[in-house]
Amino acid sequence: MSRMAGWVRRWGSVVVALGLTVAGATGASAHAREEKAAVSCAGSNTIDFSPGLSLAPRKTRIGGEGAYRCTSTVPGLTSAKSVISGGGTNGCFTSEATTVEEITWSTGEKSAVTYPLGNVRQIVGQAVVLVMGKVVSGKFAGRAVFSPGVQLTLDVPACAMERGVRRITGPSVLLIP
């Protein structure tokens, strides 16, 4: 019995250490796979402009929110909500703005995405959007993001008014390949 106890003391700690090392490596691999997983989300965005979009481009502040349903191999990542902020020179026919989208995933984790000047076609206040950005912090940091969408207004005549088009809303997508 004492011979067995000596073996357990001597080799048992080696076996435990080896087991912890293997388990730790497996956990890191799972985390690494999760950080490289593709994410595809579809939903909608509502964007507010202050001052509103007008015929002549002018400096505006941008604020808004998004809500998405997502598919991914990341466990528990099934949806996302976001807060959008930024600014630039915008009008009913042009858009030159930089925005930040602060995303909260259904897992509770967060990502901050910066969209520098993108391809936003304003057609009488109706935005056809294809912006490309980068996750600058949080979950998926360093990854590219593509966000196509179409945000519309029912108040097209406001383009010709001083108050301008203050809100556009519509479908949007978040893609992290």
Side-chain angles (χ1 to χ4, degrees):
M1 189 66 131
S2 69
R3 194 178 226 195
M4 182 67 142
W7 184 88
V8 169
R9 273 194 298 269
R10 195 169 313 142
W11 293 103
S13 58
V14 171
V15 170
V16 169
L18 182 61
L20 289 173
T21 301
V22 170
T26 303
S29 296
H31 179 70
R33 280 191 305 272
E34 184 176 299
E35 290 304 309
K36 292 180 181 178
V39 179
S40 176
C41 303
S44 65
N45 284 338
T46 297
I47 308 295
D48 296 312
F49 297 92
S50 178
L53 302 175
S54 63
L55 293 175
R58 57 187 173 185
K59 294 279 185 197
T60 59
R61 288 186 318 274
I62 300 170
E65 56 188 31
Y68 306 93
R69 286 276 172 221
C70 305
T71 58
S72 175
T73 56
V74 177
L77 200 155
T78 58
S79 64
K81 292 189 181 226
S82 68
V83 175
I84 300 161
S85 62
T89 302
N90 298 287
C92 284
F93 295 98
T94 62
S95 179
E96 293 183 12
T98 298
T99 57
V100 174
E101 188 168 17
E102 299 282 343
I103 302 167
T104 302
W105 305 101
S106 54
T107 59
E109 296 164 292
K110 296 180 185 280
S111 297
V113 178
T114 297
Y115 300 103
L117 301 173
N119 185 354
V120 179
R121 299 285 183 225
Q122 296 282 22
I123 305 163
V124 194
Q126 316 303 324
V128 179
V129 179
L130 175 55
V131 290
M132 294 168 278
K134 185 176 184 178
V135 180
V136 294
S137 66
K139 187 159 191 70
F140 307 116
R143 302 272 303 273
V145 178
F146 301 93
S147 186
V150 178
Q151 283 83 45
L152 307 173
T153 181
L154 297 176
D155 191 15
V156 174
C159 281
M161 299 177 186
E162 179 58 30
R163 68 178 165 88
V165 173
R166 294 184 180 155
R167 174 172 280 186
I168 57 177
T169 189
S172 187
V173 174
L174 279 177
L175 302 171
I176 303 176

